[in-house]
Structures are given as structure tokens and as C-alpha cells.
Amino acid sequence: MHQAMISLKEWNKVATQLNKLTLFLRKPYIIRLIRELEKAFADDEPINMRIEKKLQDGFSVKVNGLYSKINYRDMPWNYSFPSQWQVVSTSLVGKVFSCKVVNIKTVPFSCRVVACRIKNSLPGIKVGETYKSIIVSKTIFGVFVDAGIHFGWKYGSFFGLMHKNNMDSPLDIDILKEGQTTETTYWGKNKEGKLVFGSNNDKFQWFKENFDDLLYNDIQVNVIEHDNKQLSFYAHGKFKCRLCAPKKSELGTELYKKAVKRLVGGDVITCKILRVNKHNQQLHVLWNSMSEISLIGNRDFLRRKNVNGIICTLPWEQDSYHDLHKLENAVVGLRVLNLGDRITFVYNDDYIALLNKEKRYYHKPGPDINGALNRLVHDDVIHCRVVKIDYENSILHVIWDCSPEIAEISKRPEKRKPASNSVLRGSLSIGESIDMDVLGKLSLFGKTVSVLVKKVEDRSGKYKNEYVVAGKFRAALNIVSSSYSLSAKEKKQIEAGLGDQEEFVAEVNGYRNGLVQIEWDIDQNSLGKIP
């Protein structure tokens, strides 16, 4: 009978398999370890694993005294590429993590584990603190670092980017290598919620200050004068600003240039942030305060320096400029002063008002202004609209276009000689004999009121909006936005979207052609009644 023969190599293979199968028979304590793993698997309980050495696609680990293997994808955190695990693998050897048994086989013995995710974030982590980090990977724009090594990986991974622009010098990236440890400062999180690291403290201040939320908002800028008489501009005393020239200015570009040249160290100006240049660490700002530009632009005769170099104000204080700036295009009350052969108009008994009678300012047919002027008496008050402010000479340029008021005063008997067609000095307010409706409308100036929308059908069959203020006064609406400029088309779309009998809150800023002039800021006042 023929007997089967096997080679020595095959016999060794069979002997190895038999050794594995009978291992637990010869070492009873191994049976106990396996039973403990089976219990942990059945109860879904976490147990500890210790990383023994790195493998090509994972780590060799010891779980409850028995060897097993764990893949990179089953580790407590993830990296984008396996090469990043290879970089940090040396620092992970000997570290203990929590894991769960997901599969176990007794004969032959095999065990698969998955690490538990580390839920606890780093306690006491603070923006601005410095941590030891390992460079996980390197790119042309920076290095990806992990600060988890600072805590011995006890709290898991703190993976983020250190951009080369955030380093002390962009050339530092050339000397940094993968696997190298370096000191980094934790700057916080970006808009995507990813960690950001750096080493340049000056640039850290720019990252920490969220200027993007302040775009197109006003900010106080300090003027610094150097020994060479050059000026620098800084926001909050530490963020450098670049003063941008406007394409046009309400007060004229010449006055704007004049004001910039007359700035001195110690001035504080109000500017609007146009752009944040974090690369050059610079804010692009626009000086947009008309009152400040007027005040500083006329500094030669409005201000002087005393012997000690202290600036003294002459003759208007800066607060007065802020008050006057609010009067532009507003209707104001002027008191009449009868000075014999001429009349003068004053505002608040402080500022002269010049009444302009040029026809281009008035609707045709215009009211008989000359007839009404001849009937004004001392201490009358008329209401005029401010069309221009002469900050240099403290004069308000006004027009008198309140038709009901002019008509009432024209009914008086003539008491003065006919006025010439020349420009007269004036002020604004109303006389006692003016219609009570006019008084009611004028009393609303500067107030916030509730506006009722009424849909009215015109002759062509189309519906248009009419606005009623205080339940009885018709109004003309101007829609504005404090965050961006609205086009005429957008304003029409907003008006078309208003429903019949809807109410919103607006501010009264004038009275013209029998209509109360109202302004609705859609960012601040939503639809609804006044609370």
C-alpha cells in the first residue's frame, strides 16, 4: 500500500497550526484573557489598548495582554492621508487609548478592535497660548501641525494650519520639516471652524480682531505725528490705517484735501472701514464725517495754537458742527428779526439764515414769496428747508417752500415796503395764524411715527401706495438701508411688496408740497406698529 509523504516545510506549517489550536490547552491563563475579551465584546464595554509598534497601514497593539492590530481608519481621530499617520506614528508608540472589541475568534485566536473617539476637548485651551506641535505635513503655503503631542495625545488631536504668512518670516517654511516639533501659538478658529496656528504676535492681533464684521461701519482713528512731521493713522491705537481719498465729497474735494493737510498729531477722526488687508496688516478707511472735515479744513481761522502748542477752538465748538450737520435738507424754524428797512432770519438765536429765492429751487408755479415777506413782523417764525450750510461763515442757506404758511401770511395787511428781489437773510418757523393742519405736520419733525399703507387704484386701473401718518396726514416715503445702498428699482420692489393696511415705523424728516417727508430704514425698523 502506497504511503503519502509530506515535506519538512509542509510539516512545519501543520505543526504551527496545531500549536495555535492547542495554545489555550497548554496555558490556562490565556483562556482567562480570551474569556475577558469575549465578555467585553458581549457587553460592548471599552477596554484599554497599548500601541506597541507601527505597521505599514496601522499599529500593532496589545489588548488585555493579547496582541492585535488596528488600522489607521480605526484610530481615535482621522488624518486626510496615511502619510500623515506615518509621521506621527513614532510619537504614538507606548501610548494607551480606549477601544472596543468588534470581533473575536477563539480557535484560531484573532481579535479586531476599534479605538473610541475622544469626546473631551482640551480643558483650559486659550487663544494666544503657546503649545509644542508636530509638523504633520508641509505644503507651499504653510505647514499642518498637530498640538496633541503637547499633552502626550491624552486629549487626542488638535490639527490645524500654520500659514507661512502667520510665521515670523515667510522664509521660515524652508527650514521646517515633516516630523519636526516646533513651538506654535493657538490663534483660534477660522470661519470654517478649523484650528489656526501661528508664531507672529503682531499678525495674531489682526487675526484676533474680527474686522470683517466691522466693514462699512464707522471707527475712531487716531492721528500720530512723527518726528519727521509725517502722519500715521491707527485704529484702536495699534491697527495701522490707510486713508483713502473719496471720489467725491459733499463738501467738495478741495475742502477734503485741505482738511487732510491740516491734520495734526492727537486728532481723532471718524472713518468708515472699506477694506481689511490682513496680508499687509492695514485697514483701508474713508474719512466720512462732514462736520470733522469742515472743522479741520477751516482750521486756519477756526483754530489757533497758543504759546504752549495747545489748540484752542474759535469760534464754533465741534459739537456745534455735529448739530449743524444734522440740519442738511431738514426743515427748520427761523425767527424773524425786523431791523427797520430790512429783515433778518436767525436759527436758535445763534446762526444767520440766508433766504435764497432762485427759481430753480421752487416748483412752478411757485408761491408769492415777496408778498409774504412784506407782511412778516418781528418775532414771526417761518419754516424753511436747509439747502446748504456755510460752515466757514456760520450761515444756513434756506428756501421758503411751505406753501400753506406763505399763503396764510400773504393774507395779512401789508406793513413793510416791498422787498427787493435780492437774497434776504432769514430763519425758519411758523406764525400764530398758520393753519392748524400745517402746525400738526410740522410738529412731527424728527419724530418716529407709525405709517399706514393704503392701496389706491389710479385712473389706469393700477394700484399704487399711499402713506398716512398720525392717522390723517399724507406722506411721501423714502426707503433707505444703513448697511448698503438701495437702487431705485429695489425701492420700487420693496414698496410693491407692502400690503394694504400694513404698518411700519419711519422717521419724519421734513415737510414739502403738502406732504410729510418720511424715511424708512429697513434694517432698523421692520413692519409692525410702534411698541
Side-chain angles (χ1 to χ4, degrees):
M1 184 176 180
H2 180 73
Q3 295 182 355
M5 300 292 293
I6 61 175
S7 65
L8 180 61
K9 182 178 179 180
E10 290 176 343
W11 169 252
N12 288 336
K13 185 177 180 180
V14 173
T16 302
Q17 293 292 336
L18 290 173
N19 183 51
K20 290 183 178 180
L21 292 173
T22 61
L23 180 65
F24 64 92
L25 298 176
R26 292 179 285 109
K27 296 182 178 180
Y29 74 92
I30 294 182
I31 298 178
R32 176 174 55 83
L33 297 178
I34 294 175
R35 294 293 179 261
E36 291 176 356
L37 289 178
E38 290 177 338
K39 184 178 185 302
F41 171 66
D43 298 340
D44 196 26
E45 292 180 352
I47 56 176
N48 289 334
M49 70 172 184
R50 183 177 183 273
I51 297 180
E52 294 296 319
K53 64 178 181 179
K54 63 178 182 180
L55 303 175
Q56 186 176 358
D57 58 348
F59 297 95
S60 173
V61 298
K62 185 175 280 190
V63 185
N64 199 34
L66 299 176
Y67 283 97
S68 181
K69 177 188 174 182
I70 186 170
N71 294 321
Y72 291 145
R73 64 176 180 273
D74 296 329
M75 287 294 287
W77 62 89
N78 295 323
Y79 288 126
S80 300
F81 304 101
S83 59
Q84 295 173 326
W85 279 111
Q86 292 288 342
V87 172
V88 302
S89 59
T90 303
S91 63
L92 290 173
V93 173
K95 305 302 178 184
V96 178
F97 298 97
S98 180
C99 69
K100 287 186 177 182
V101 180
V102 295
N103 188 19
I104 187 170
K105 187 177 179 182
T106 305
V107 180
F109 174 76
S110 64
C111 177
R112 180 171 176 264
V113 295
V114 174
C116 299
R117 295 289 175 176
I118 300 176
K119 297 181 180 179
N120 296 329
S121 61
L122 177 61
I125 186 171
K126 293 181 180 180
V127 173
E129 291 289 335
T130 300
Y131 302 101
K132 182 177 77 171
S133 303
I134 183 172
I135 298 176
V136 177
S137 58
K138 182 178 176 180
T139 65
I140 58 173
F141 54 83
V143 293
F144 288 95
V145 298
D146 199 323
I149 193 174
H150 182 88
F151 310 95
W153 306 105
K154 180 180 178 182
Y155 302 105
S157 170
F158 292 93
F159 180 81
L161 172 67
M162 182 166 68
H163 200 280
K164 63 181 181 180
N165 291 332
N166 298 342
M167 302 177 187
D168 290 326
S169 170
L171 299 178
D172 290 348
I173 192 173
D174 296 331
I175 61 177
L176 296 176
K177 299 180 181 179
E178 292 182 355
Q180 177 183 343
T181 56
T182 181
E183 295 291 326
T184 60
T185 302
Y186 174 54
W187 285 15
K189 296 182 179 181
N190 59 15
K191 293 181 179 179
E192 290 76 28
K194 298 179 180 179
L195 305 189
V196 178
F197 294 89
S199 57
N200 189 312
N201 289 331
D202 292 335
K203 292 185 178 180
F204 168 59
Q205 298 298 327
W206 280 84
F207 180 86
K208 184 171 64 173
E209 193 76 24
N210 193 2
F211 283 109
D212 293 336
D213 294 340
L214 298 177
L215 276 177
Y216 307 110
N217 290 332
D218 289 342
I219 190 172
Q220 297 297 311
V221 176
N222 300 86
V223 182
I224 307 297
E225 187 171 356
H226 302 283
D227 294 336
N228 59 358
K229 303 301 180 182
Q230 293 293 321
L231 297 181
S232 296
F233 305 93
Y234 288 88
H236 300 319
K238 55 185 177 181
F239 301 109
K240 191 172 182 180
C241 299
R242 176 184 174 185
L243 199 61
C244 301
K247 293 182 179 179
K248 62 179 182 178
S249 173
E250 295 180 14
L251 299 179
T253 55
E254 290 302 320
L255 181 58
Y256 181 87
K257 294 177 182 177
K258 194 177 177 182
V260 172
K261 290 180 180 179
R262 298 183 184 187
L263 287 170
V264 296
D267 284 338
V268 180
I269 58 178
T270 304
C271 301
K272 179 170 66 174
I273 300 177
L274 301 180
R275 181 170 175 255
V276 180
N277 189 338
K278 291 186 178 180
H279 179 70
N280 295 329
Q281 301 178 50
Q282 198 175 65
L283 294 176
H284 292 203
V285 298
L286 174 67
W287 188 13
N288 62 342
S289 174
M290 297 296 103
S291 58
E292 293 173 357
I293 294 172
S294 301
L295 181 66
I296 296 175
N298 296 301
R299 180 168 277 175
D300 278 350
F301 55 89
L302 286 179
R303 290 189 172 192
R304 60 177 172 82
K305 288 187 177 182
N306 64 11
V307 179
N308 298 321
I310 302 175
I311 297 177
C312 302
T313 306
L314 295 173
W316 286 2
E317 297 293 339
Q318 188 168 351
D319 290 343
S320 300
Y321 274 95
H322 284 293
D323 293 339
L324 285 177
H325 177 59
K326 298 176 183 178
L327 298 179
E328 293 181 0
N329 295 318
V331 176
V332 292
L334 303 178
R335 191 163 69 92
V336 178
L337 300 180
N338 194 336
L339 304 177
D341 61 338
R342 61 182 300 183
I343 58 174
T344 301
F345 305 99
V346 294
Y347 172 65
N348 276 356
D349 293 334
D350 290 325
Y351 308 113
I352 296 293
L354 192 65
L355 182 62
N356 199 322
K357 299 189 335 183
E358 293 183 31
K359 293 181 180 180
R360 63 190 179 94
Y361 285 111
Y362 297 90
H363 295 279
K364 297 179 181 180
D368 183 15
I369 298 178
N370 288 335
L373 290 174
N374 294 333
R375 292 166 172 79
L376 288 174
V377 296
H378 187 69
D379 278 342
D380 264 347
V381 179
I382 63 173
H383 288 81
C384 301
R385 182 161 56 91
V386 180
V387 295
K388 182 182 177 182
I389 299 177
D390 186 349
Y391 293 93
E392 180 176 334
N393 299 309
S394 309
I395 293 177
L396 303 177
H397 291 258
V398 300
I399 60 172
W400 190 17
D401 60 351
C402 184
S403 301
E405 187 177 70
I406 296 172
E408 286 295 329
I409 295 178
S410 298
K411 295 177 183 178
R412 298 178 182 176
E414 187 171 345
K415 295 184 179 181
R416 300 179 63 256
K417 294 180 181 179
S420 65
N421 289 328
S422 61
V423 176
L424 302 178
R425 293 189 178 274
S427 288
L428 49 130
S429 260
I430 1 181
E432 297 178 356
S433 60
I434 297 179
D435 186 78
M436 293 305 294
D437 265 0
V438 177
L439 286 172
K441 294 175 183 177
L442 296 176
S443 66
L444 297 175
F445 291 155
K447 295 182 179 179
T448 301
V449 297
S450 179
V451 182
L452 178 66
V453 182
K454 288 187 176 181
K455 293 286 187 181
V456 180
E457 188 176 2
D458 59 15
R459 293 180 180 179
S460 62
K462 297 181 179 179
Y463 285 91
K464 65 177 183 178
N465 290 353
E466 284 191 358
Y467 305 99
V468 181
V469 174
K472 55 181 179 180
F473 301 128
R474 294 177 60 213
L477 175 64
N478 179 32
I479 302 176
V480 298
S481 170
S482 56
S483 58
Y484 62 95
S485 178
L486 291 172
S487 65
K489 184 177 180 181
E490 289 174 324
K491 292 180 180 181
K492 288 183 180 180
Q493 290 175 342
I494 294 173
E495 286 197 69
L498 294 173
D500 190 31
Q501 301 301 314
E502 270 192 305
E503 291 188 27
F504 59 90
V505 177
E507 182 179 349
V508 178
N509 60 4
Y511 170 62
R512 186 167 63 251
N513 299 330
L515 297 177
V516 176
Q517 305 296 310
I518 57 174
E519 185 174 87
W520 178 27
D521 190 332
I522 59 174
D523 292 335
Q524 298 179 3
N525 303 324
S526 57
L527 292 174
K529 296 183 179 180
I530 298 178

